[in-house]
Amino acid sequence: MSAEAKADEALTATTHVPNTHLMAGLLGPRDEHLRVVERSFPNSKIRVQGNQISVTGPDAAIVLRLFDELVLVLESGQSLDTTKVARTVDMVADDLRPSEVLRHEVVRGAKGKAVRPSTAGQKRYTDAIDTSTITFGIGPAGTGKSYLAVAQAVQALHRRQVQRIVLTRPAVEAGENLGFLPGDLMAKVDPYLRPLYDALHDMVGADGAQRLIANGTIEVAPLAFMRGRTLNDSFIILDEAQNTSPEQMKMFLTRIGFNSKAVVTGDVTQIDLNGKRSGLVKIEEILHDVEGISFIYLGAKDVVRSRIVSDIVAAYDKLS
């Protein structure tokens, strides 16, 4: 056997998939999932024979670990699609355990569907919320900052760790003026709180959300309503925090009372304050020595919308 052949043999690894059903889910319809893996590791040759997968090439061990991780995800009862496979490739390439990320359940939604982190960054985010008094989730649109925060809040309410959920946002939006909207202040800001309502409806259903809001268990209000209050036994979420002033940010953070937890979310690339300073910028410099506060930064790899959104975020990141 030639030295080259021996080298190839040394770079060959094999795994066995437990059953045909798992193999079908692993490869995907018309082998779509397999094609994603092949494009991600162009220097490796993948052979499928029955329930056995063999990989030859410089990344053989990594590719085999990827397949083993995907099998673990399938065995947990989840299905795969090309997007989830691509995210799993990214995690394995970063020497992470995708099965631990994708099998972690935050809460069961209103229709029984599990809410889970989809990326390693999202898993770090949910872990930080579990262990910290205040968590800052900072990153672009589509990274699940608000959605996962609401999921964690609902789970805390279900477990009776808190007595109520408070959802708030600053009443500032891109190029729009609240004064032109009809109604009182709550009616004016209601459209801006819609993303939080949507997440709530997914977690507890539309009727459940209305009932919890009506009895005061869940409060949805503009940030201006927080002034002068102390929020005990509460899970508080400040959304779109890039549109707070430094004074508003300080006001919000000092509302947090006993047995309460807060999550602050925002995207520092989408500030709509007409040249004014944002309370989210440089907040880590101010609070980095304060115990019980975590800062989690999410990026293009954590975008869970259409793949093109992730590509758009990455393109803008190159300009910054």
Side-chain angles (χ1 to χ4, degrees):
M1 182 181 294
S2 68
E4 184 179 346
K6 288 182 179 179
D8 284 343
E9 185 178 42
L11 293 171
T12 296
T14 302
T15 190
H16 184 82
V17 179
N19 61 61
T20 303
H21 175 71
L22 287 174
M23 178 61 87
L26 183 64
L27 300 180
R30 298 179 298 280
D31 290 345
E32 289 177 356
H33 304 163
L34 178 60
R35 300 285 92 81
V36 172
V37 177
E38 289 176 333
R39 288 193 297 270
S40 300
F41 298 94
N43 296 323
S44 295
K45 185 174 182 179
I46 303 172
R47 297 185 184 89
V48 177
Q49 188 171 12
N51 282 12
Q52 183 171 290
I53 300 175
S54 298
V55 184
T56 301
D59 299 315
I62 297 175
V63 177
L64 258 294
R65 187 161 68 86
L66 169 66
F67 282 123
D68 289 341
E69 289 288 316
L70 289 171
V71 168
L72 289 173
V73 173
L74 288 167
E75 287 178 331
S76 73
Q78 298 183 60
S79 60
L80 296 177
D81 55 34
T82 55
T83 300
K84 187 177 289 186
V85 172
R87 291 193 195 115
T88 305
V89 169
D90 289 340
M91 285 186 267
V92 168
D94 290 338
D95 201 26
L96 301 171
R97 291 289 307 274
S99 58
E100 293 181 358
V101 173
L102 298 175
R103 290 187 297 176
H104 176 73
E105 183 175 312
V106 177
V107 71
R108 287 270 166 178
K111 297 181 180 179
K113 184 178 179 181
V115 177
R116 294 185 171 96
S118 297
T119 69
Q122 289 188 349
K123 178 65 161 56
R124 287 194 302 272
Y125 180 49
T126 57
D127 288 346
I129 294 173
D130 280 336
T131 58
S132 304
T133 302
I134 303 173
T135 302
F136 286 83
I138 301 171
T143 51
K145 304 183 300 295
S146 305
Y147 195 83
L148 288 172
V150 172
Q152 293 277 112
V154 170
Q155 181 70 303
L157 189 65
H158 286 171
R159 292 176 176 173
R160 301 185 185 278
Q161 295 170 339
V162 297
Q163 294 180 6
R164 61 177 168 170
I165 297 171
V166 180
L167 309 176
T168 186
R169 292 178 82 178
V172 177
E173 287 296 335
E176 299 183 20
N177 189 325
L178 291 173
F180 288 101
L181 295 174
D184 59 17
L185 179 59
M186 276 307 299
K188 291 175 186 291
V189 300
D190 194 67
Y192 301 109
L193 298 166
R194 179 51 50 190
L196 298 177
Y197 284 120
D198 290 343
L200 267 180
H201 291 174
D202 279 358
M203 306 303 164
V204 298
D207 292 340
Q210 289 297 332
R211 184 173 63 254
L212 291 169
I213 291 171
N215 66 25
T217 303
I218 294 178
E219 178 182 352
V220 186
L223 182 59
F225 283 20
M226 299 297 109
R227 189 174 298 278
R229 302 176 61 185
T230 300
L231 300 171
N232 296 318
D233 299 304
S234 302
F235 195 117
I236 314 141
I237 299 172
L238 170 58
D239 197 31
E240 299 290 343
Q242 75 276 4
N243 287 330
T244 62
S245 67
E247 294 77 18
Q248 287 175 318
M249 178 65 77
K250 180 181 177 182
M251 179 274 290
F252 170 79
L253 294 174
T254 54
R255 299 308 94 202
I256 299 166
F258 293 104
N259 193 39
S260 288
K261 188 181 288 283
V263 179
V264 179
T265 72
D267 177 3
V268 293
T269 69
Q270 294 190 12
I271 297 171
D272 304 309
L273 293 175
N274 296 322
K276 298 178 183 177
R277 286 192 303 149
S278 167
L280 192 61
V281 174
K282 297 186 177 181
I283 189 67
E284 187 170 6
E285 292 181 19
I286 299 170
L287 302 177
H288 70 279
D289 285 333
V290 180
E291 188 176 351
I293 297 181
S294 294
F295 291 87
I296 304 297
Y297 292 89
L298 303 168
K301 284 187 177 181
D302 301 301
V303 172
V304 293
R305 295 178 182 170
S306 168
R307 189 75 180 188
I308 194 172
V309 177
S310 177
D311 293 341
I312 290 169
V313 170
Y316 272 95
D317 284 346
K318 291 179 181 178
L319 296 176
S320 61

